[in-house]
Amino acid sequence: MHPTKVVTLSFVAAGLLAVLPSCAMPSRGAATPGGRDAPATRAASTTGSSSVVVEADRLERSGDDRALVAHLERHAGEARSPVARARLELMHARALVRLGRKLSALTVFGRAWHEVEPVVDGVGQDILVAWADHEMSLGQYGDAVGHYELALGARDMGREGARALRASLVVACEAAGRSVRAAEHLEQLDRSGRELLDVTRARLLAGRPRSGERSPYVPVADAFLPRGVIPMNPSLILPGIRAREEWGARPITPDHVPMTPITSITVHHSAMPPPGRWGTIAQLKQIQDIHTQDKGWADVGYHFLVDPTGEVWEGRRLLYQGAHAGGAANIGNVGVCLLGNFESHSVPRPQMQALADLVEALRAHFAIPRAEVRTHREWKATACPGTALHQAVLAYRAGERATLALQ
Ligand SMILES: [Zn+2]
């Protein structure tokens, strides 16, 4: 269940962590940057960034969250190592949560993770779990799934920690409507783990919006990716997207065109039988073969493919213009293909939910108006994406409700 990409990166980057000083190591003798704002406490006698840590620890123990937040807003960036800064930003985010400043906390969790990304071991895991717990409290269940799953990549997790994390994942997947995924995580839980589920549900879901009454979507990308910028890693727009390396995509050929500013989204279906539970990767490769070998395109034509269980897979990188809507219609147009044939079937709920999450995240990040979400048959005479999916997209475009999943 571990995303291969993450495990590999953690492994590669683990050597890096070993050379980073921990915030627990005082850096006596170093000068305070700029020599300003030394706190008027015992900590002031300690020079260097360790005084920032000492003062933060003191304020946290005193329970004065306002003072702690004020201190960290000014000084967290002065800590000497990424790990130390990450610890301070985690402390900062938790204080914001306690103060009820939920959206600011979301931003600061993102900043904390950005300091150590992609190293999941140690403070990285603490950040991801706390961040995901917070997203659960905001009803951002899909984001929480992504962050809990990243946290699973930590290598030195005790049995208790692994159990608690897996239980949180089951609950998050259930809340996100990803029932197949929830069942997969449930299979990994032993009896003691299953006994944790009720307590975990109560902890993570108490007083939260019920399924179908989601909180307004706040893209995690806001935390550290400037709005409108196309990232190499699409999980910065919607956490949990399975990278193309995970399905063994062949590289794009040189005859591709860079993406211009993104202004629209077009929804397709594969018009193939829906893949079985383990058949998605084979089908993704098959689609890439058809697009590159039969049609002669540079790569798979779509930017994203969504399987029936609600996994979103990266197709052609968003950095490159797609080949899906026909000629000039591809300019600035994100191609999203749902695996299946929706001329003959309705769209499974987890798949529709994932499409909704993806479309909302893309729209938020690139400021795409709702009216610019179309289906393939609106560009040209084709049955794609099948009547069931076409109707769902039309209803979304006209809709008062923000989610496709309600159709
Ligand atoms: Zn199409």
Side-chain angles (χ1 to χ4, degrees):
M1 285 297 87
H2 298 204
T4 314
K5 166 193 65 169
V6 170
V7 172
T8 309
L9 287 173
S10 303
F11 180 73
V12 169
L16 180 71
L17 255 189
V19 301
L20 297 173
S22 151
C23 75
M25 293 180 203
S27 53
R28 287 175 203 284
T32 303
R36 60 196 167 86
D37 297 336
T41 67
R42 197 171 57 81
S45 65
T46 314
T47 55
S49 65
S50 63
S51 66
V52 175
V53 176
V54 170
E55 175 65 358
D57 282 339
R58 187 190 72 79
L59 288 168
E60 189 176 53
R61 276 197 307 277
S62 78
D64 188 345
D65 285 328
R66 278 176 207 288
L68 176 60
V69 164
H71 170 67
L72 290 174
E73 271 168 3
R74 292 169 78 179
H75 300 298
E78 293 167 15
R80 292 156 63 83
S81 73
V83 171
R85 287 194 296 275
R87 289 205 169 108
L88 289 172
E89 294 291 21
L90 175 58
M91 196 186 265
H92 185 182
R94 285 180 160 145
L96 287 166
V97 170
R98 290 192 295 272
L99 290 170
R101 293 174 57 187
K102 296 178 180 182
L103 296 185
S104 302
L106 211 50
T107 304
V108 176
F109 277 122
R111 217 154 65 200
W113 171 236
H114 199 45
E115 291 288 353
V116 290
E117 184 183 16
V119 181
V120 180
D121 294 313
V123 68
Q125 190 193 20
D126 294 343
I127 292 166
L128 289 167
V129 171
W131 191 4
D133 285 353
H134 183 53
E135 286 162 338
M136 289 298 289
S137 79
L138 293 172
Q140 294 182 312
Y141 306 128
D143 293 347
V145 170
H147 290 136
Y148 286 135
E149 287 190 343
L150 267 181
L152 272 183
R155 292 171 304 162
D156 51 358
M157 209 182 331
R159 185 182 290 182
E160 291 301 314
R163 232 178 232 145
L165 179 53
R166 194 71 76 166
S168 297
L169 255 169
V170 172
V171 174
C173 289
E174 286 171 348
R178 300 188 185 175
S179 47
V180 172
R181 196 52 171 254
E184 287 171 359
H185 286 301
L186 188 61
E187 278 170 19
Q188 304 290 319
L189 269 181
D190 58 12
R191 189 157 158 266
S192 316
R194 286 170 194 234
E195 285 167 1
L196 279 178
L197 282 173
D198 279 344
V199 162
T200 306
R201 282 194 193 96
R203 179 171 68 84
L204 296 177
L205 298 174
R208 298 301 142 229
R210 299 171 73 90
S211 167
E213 303 168 13
R214 304 166 74 223
S215 303
Y217 186 85
V218 180
V220 165
D222 275 0
F224 44 81
L225 179 69
R227 230 356 111 114
V229 169
I230 303 178
M232 170 71 94
N233 174 5
S235 287
L236 293 181
I237 297 175
L238 181 69
I241 292 179
R242 311 291 293 266
R244 54 188 275 126
E245 291 78 6
E246 287 186 70
W247 58 270
R250 280 179 285 104
I252 194 166
T253 59
D255 54 332
H256 58 263
V257 179
M259 187 63 127
T260 51
I262 288 173
T263 53
S264 63
I265 299 169
T266 298
V267 177
H268 304 261
H269 71 167
S270 64
M272 297 160 111
R277 184 162 163 188
W278 310 112
T280 294
I281 285 179
Q283 204 169 75
L284 297 175
K285 287 170 180 276
Q286 189 186 355
I287 293 170
Q288 189 183 35
D289 286 347
I290 294 169
H291 286 188
T292 54
Q293 290 162 20
D294 301 352
K295 297 184 188 275
W297 298 340
D299 193 356
V300 56
Y302 313 113
H303 295 102
F304 299 104
L305 301 100
V306 183
D307 76 23
T309 70
E311 291 283 6
V312 179
W313 301 82
E314 181 186 29
R316 185 176 299 212
R317 288 210 198 285
L318 213 40
L319 295 167
Y320 310 125
Q321 183 173 301
H324 57 93
N330 288 313
I331 296 170
N333 190 344
V334 179
V336 181
C337 176
L338 273 62
L339 301 181
N341 186 330
F342 308 107
E343 199 56 34
S344 46
H345 299 287
S346 59
V347 188
R349 195 177 169 89
Q351 196 172 15
M352 196 61 113
Q353 179 72 53
L355 175 62
D357 289 346
L358 179 61
V359 166
E360 295 275 306
L362 289 167
R363 284 190 51 219
H365 184 67
F366 295 110
I368 302 169
R370 189 177 287 255
E372 296 296 328
V373 182
R374 297 193 184 82
T375 68
H376 194 183
R377 67 170 72 168
E378 294 181 276
W379 290 107
K380 61 178 272 192
T382 169
C384 180
T387 301
L389 183 51
H390 175 71
Q391 293 297 342
V393 173
L394 288 191
Y396 168 77
R397 213 160 61 205
E400 305 92 47
R401 297 300 295 263
T403 169
L404 277 164
L406 295 179
Q407 304 309 323

